[in-house]
Amino acid sequence: MSQLTVSFDNQKPLLCDVNLKVGKGETFVIVGPSGAGKSVLIKTIAGLVRPSSGKVLIGGEEIHRLSKSDQEKLFRRMGMVFQKNALFDSFTVFENLAFPLRESSDLSDSEIQDRVNWFLEAVGLPHAAQKFPDEISGGMQKRVGVARALILKPEIIFYDDPTAGLDPITSRLIIDLIIRLNKEFKTTVVSITNDMNRAYQMADRMGLLTDRELIVTGGVAETQKHSDRRVQAFIRGEVRIA
Amino acid sequence: MVIITPAIRILDGVGGGLMFLGEIIRTLRKYKIDREAILTQIYNISMASFFTTASSGFFVGALMSVQFNMQLRQFGALSVLGGLSTSATVRELGPLLIAFMLSGKVGAYTSAELGIMRVTEQIDAMRCLGTNPMQYLVAPRFLGIIISAFFLLFLGLLMSILGGVILATLVADLSPSEFINTIPMYVEGHSVLSGLFKCLCFSVLLATVCTYKGYTTTGGAKGVGKTVLATALATMVGLVLLDWFTTYLAGVLLDTWRAITI
């Protein structure tokens, strides 16, 4: 993406001239204080929020300029895990996973069943298949969200704060799961979090979103030694809430 | 500014609603809509609102019968009670009052349902899975509401005649046959067509407003609350304005038709 600016209702821009390039198969983690615009940034990259200016290219295609049908085709090559999971509350866990396969693939019913069962096993939830989202815990919902986002085997996946609201042990397990599945499917990952430990755990490269700009800090070691005082302040937990 | 700002907001809402209707029509033309999803919507809406519509239709008819009885009794013209009260009910008050009832039930339910899906990001999730929410969520609801609301309004009108007959028997000492026999004198084919045309227009308005308001909800629980309120308000004001417009249009069409045929 280049020169990305996002503002709402003609107000002061939330993001200003943000530039980023993520390579194929890379895991890029965006960290930053609450309210800095991380979710808006990832939703803009994923095509859900239209930027005021600038462009986002995914595989050479400018996502916000595509026709609806071309956008739908591109969306099928991407996956997204939402901060609050966004599971379909009128569907069971099984139906949540089967939905994208039924709507966006040519798989037969038995193939859908097999693939859903494989993913339920992979995220450790075969026993929850017939439960509704409000009948399972937050950590389990997150795992269903991860499985649903990966079930179409996307090339790119976006994680909007995948450990938000989870305890440290569950957070670590979720990140382990994400890393394992991403390695298995060789997906390109863009993730956001405000938990530095989880960011270090999964990132190939990182960036700090603060003061409406994205500071690309590099790998974990480079980030830890980065010269920008805002990066160091955030790592040490000294940054003020935006 | 006190008048201009709300006026701009109203125009913005009307424009947004019309553009949304255009988007639904484009979706209906371009995409295949799941028949089972439409039938499910029709079944759910019809079953949930059957009793409400039937009873409100019954009481609208009963009310008109009582009101006309009081007026006509003064002129000794009770013999035309059936024709006059049924004509007024079928052409005017019946579709409007029954549509009000439906807007409270179907409109509020649908806008809240879509609104909650919007604020909990379920609609965004659907898009991210390569599914078109207009095709999967909005279009089946839109068609389901139009078909079931039209059916329910028609049912309500039939029930209003029944209500009129029963109350006329009770308060005006008219036999059912005396009531019914005068109906064809005042309720002609064009009156029925006008009533049915209104029902169709009201159904389209109701379906458009509640899906538009629900789909464009912003904010959390408060946003959903505002959406339901805005849906109720927009639908009721819209129904009154549309009632006036369809009456005017029906009058113009009838005059034109008479001028051609006579």
Side-chain angles (χ1 to χ4, degrees):
Chain A
M1 63 185 167
S2 64
Q3 305 281 303
L4 204 69
T5 296
V6 180
S7 61
F8 296 108
D9 300 329
N10 298 322
Q11 304 233 323
K12 191 177 158 188
L14 190 63
L15 303 169
C16 206
D17 289 338
V18 174
N19 295 291
L20 176 66
K21 192 171 182 181
V22 179
K24 201 173 179 182
E26 186 182 15
T27 297
F28 189 90
V29 179
I30 301 163
V31 293
S34 300
K38 299 188 295 297
S39 289
V40 171
L41 176 59
I42 204 164
K43 282 179 185 170
T44 309
I45 303 171
L48 295 174
V49 173
R50 187 168 275 278
S52 317
S53 63
K55 57 186 175 182
V56 177
L57 295 168
I58 294 181
E61 293 180 291
E62 199 176 334
I63 190 163
H64 297 102
R65 285 188 182 269
L66 292 175
S67 68
K68 274 225 162 123
S69 55
D70 287 338
Q71 226 176 28
E72 279 165 29
K73 281 180 201 154
L74 185 57
F75 277 136
R76 284 177 203 145
R77 292 165 48 202
M78 305 177 347
M80 178 139 183
V81 177
F82 289 82
Q83 198 176 80
K84 290 173 187 162
N85 309 316
L87 300 178
F88 305 129
D89 51 16
S90 55
F91 288 178
T92 61
V93 167
F94 184 94
E95 286 164 348
N96 262 281
L97 298 195
F99 176 81
L101 298 172
R102 287 204 181 108
E103 296 301 319
S104 309
S105 78
D106 299 323
L107 297 180
S108 67
D109 282 351
S110 65
E111 287 170 321
I112 288 173
Q113 186 138 8
D114 289 346
R115 194 182 292 187
V116 171
N117 287 335
W118 188 93
F119 271 91
L120 283 172
E121 285 284 347
V123 298
L125 291 172
H127 58 283
Q130 296 310 318
K131 290 191 187 302
F132 284 92
D134 61 354
E135 295 171 341
I136 58 177
S137 70
M140 289 162 86
Q141 286 182 17
K142 191 64 75 181
R143 282 187 273 165
V144 177
V146 172
R148 188 181 65 180
L150 287 168
I151 205 154
L152 287 171
K153 299 186 177 171
E155 298 160 36
I156 307 157
I157 185 151
F158 300 99
Y159 292 100
D160 184 356
D161 211 346
T163 58
L166 300 178
D167 64 82
I169 298 164
T170 313
S171 297
R172 173 167 273 282
L173 291 173
I174 292 285
I175 299 296
D176 285 341
L177 170 73
I178 287 171
I179 293 169
R180 181 165 60 83
L181 292 174
N182 291 340
K183 272 189 186 151
E184 192 152 345
F185 297 114
K186 297 181 177 64
T187 36
T188 304
V189 176
V190 179
S191 178
I192 60 171
T193 181
N194 46 24
D195 181 336
M196 288 309 291
N197 291 325
R198 301 289 79 84
Y200 291 151
Q201 193 185 342
M202 70 188 295
D204 291 329
R205 276 195 311 142
M206 296 171 66
L208 171 72
L209 187 68
T210 187
D211 300 333
R212 298 184 287 153
E213 60 173 301
L214 181 68
I215 307 161
V216 178
T217 56
V220 173
E222 290 164 286
T223 302
Q224 286 167 335
K225 292 178 203 155
H226 202 273
S227 58
D228 194 305
R229 60 181 174 76
R230 290 171 295 178
V231 176
Q232 290 307 320
F234 185 77
I235 291 171
R236 291 197 300 270
E238 290 171 6
V239 76
R240 66 182 164 77
I241 292 170
Chain B
M1 283 304 280
V2 177
I3 299 168
I4 291 171
T5 310
I8 289 173
R9 208 180 307 140
I10 290 166
L11 284 175
D12 189 43
V14 172
L18 289 173
M19 283 169 70
F20 189 76
L21 179 61
E23 183 71 33
I24 295 173
I25 292 167
R26 270 193 294 279
T27 305
L28 292 174
R29 286 175 58 187
K30 201 171 169 187
Y31 293 91
K32 191 172 170 244
I33 311 300
D34 183 12
R35 199 175 294 172
E36 205 181 310
I38 301 169
L39 290 173
T40 306
Q41 289 297 325
I42 293 171
Y43 177 79
N44 289 343
I45 295 164
S46 303
M47 292 310 284
S49 305
F50 188 87
F51 182 74
T52 314
T53 319
S55 57
S56 52
F58 180 89
F59 285 109
V60 168
L63 171 81
M64 294 300 281
S65 205
V66 172
Q67 284 294 333
F68 273 92
N69 167 52
M70 287 193 289
Q71 303 298 321
L72 294 173
R73 189 177 288 274
Q74 292 176 21
F75 302 100
L78 272 179
S79 58
V80 293
L81 175 65
L84 284 181
S85 73
T86 306
S87 171
T89 309
V90 170
R91 288 167 58 151
E92 278 302 324
L93 216 57
L96 188 65
L97 290 181
I98 301 163
F100 276 168
M101 296 296 290
L102 273 180
S103 76
K105 194 149 186 170
V106 179
Y109 178 85
T110 306
S111 63
E113 189 186 27
L114 288 174
I116 287 170
M117 292 188 83
R118 168 63 75 191
V119 300
T120 55
E121 296 178 317
Q122 290 179 53
I123 291 177
D124 283 341
M126 202 166 269
R127 276 188 71 196
C128 283
L129 293 166
T131 305
N132 182 351
M134 292 294 290
Q135 175 196 8
Y136 189 82
L137 288 177
V138 176
R141 279 167 178 75
F142 179 79
L143 292 176
I145 291 170
I146 290 176
I147 296 166
S148 50
F150 182 74
F151 159 73
L152 288 166
L153 284 164
F154 182 65
L155 170 84
L157 290 183
L158 291 179
M159 287 301 290
S160 71
I161 297 173
L162 180 67
V165 171
I166 292 175
L167 261 289
T169 314
L170 292 175
V171 301
D173 294 327
L174 283 180
S175 69
S177 59
E178 283 174 314
F179 185 94
I180 292 166
N181 285 343
T182 56
I183 292 177
M185 290 163 59
Y186 294 89
V187 186
E188 297 165 42
H190 62 79
S191 303
V192 177
L193 280 179
S194 162
L196 291 177
F197 179 62
K198 272 185 188 191
C199 292
L200 182 66
C201 292
F202 291 170
S203 305
V204 174
L205 176 82
L206 177 62
T208 307
V209 173
C210 67
T211 51
Y212 168 61
K213 290 286 180 189
Y215 194 76
T216 54
T217 301
T218 53
K222 203 175 172 184
V224 177
K226 277 185 183 171
T227 289
V228 174
L229 183 70
T231 304
L233 195 68
T235 314
M236 294 209 180
V237 174
L239 283 171
V240 173
L241 291 175
L242 197 60
D243 188 37
W244 168 80
F245 180 71
T246 47
T247 303
Y248 174 76
L249 190 67
V252 171
L253 289 174
L254 185 63
D255 288 345
T256 312
W257 184 73
R258 278 179 180 153
I260 294 167
T261 52
I262 293 168

